Amino acid sequence: MKTEIKIEKCEKPFCVIHTAEKTRGIEEVAEKIMRMDESGKTVIISGWDKDYCVQIPRDEIFRIYSQDKKVYVQTQKENLLLKMRLYEFEEMARDCGWTDFIRISNTDIANFSKVKALDMSLTGIVRVNFTDGSNAMVSRRYMSKIKDQLTMVRK
């Protein structure tokens, strides 16, 4: 695909795609570009509310979780269906530099920028308390990984 970059005065960068016909591939390229910031990193994902596709900025996501063989994204307002697997989201977050998203169990990935506290008062169980009042349980299996990522481990 031929590309060209023009330097001109404008408020924000924008992209125009010239094509002979609109194809699914061209639509996918346009979607990927729309989700990026100026550094080229993805800042928006798409969630689904029945037949409606809702654009969700990264900073509105509290957690990604699976339930009944489906994956959902939890925001302060609603839970939306996410059309990707947990491991796919984990890979995308890593590739985009979203370091605040940490796997806390087989079914949950938490956005630690939205975590108010880690509740360790229950015997052997750690609960993640989010700023919106919701919570999720941490699997013991993931606790050492979480500590490493949050640099809670003394070395």
Side-chain angles (χ1 to χ4, degrees), residues 45-49 52-56 73 80-83:
I45 64 171
S46 297
W48 294 85
D49 182 14
Y52 294 95
C53 180
V54 179
Q55 300 296 303
I56 309 162
V73 58
L80 300 166
L81 182 65
L82 190 62
K83 293 192 175 178

Side-chain angles (χ1 to χ4, degrees), residues 62 74 76 114 116 127-136:
F62 282 82
Q74 176 186 332
Q76 188 162 1
K114 297 288 188 180
K116 183 167 79 173
R127 182 174 41 212
V128 175
N129 294 326
F130 293 100
T131 56
D132 71 342
S134 64
N135 58 60

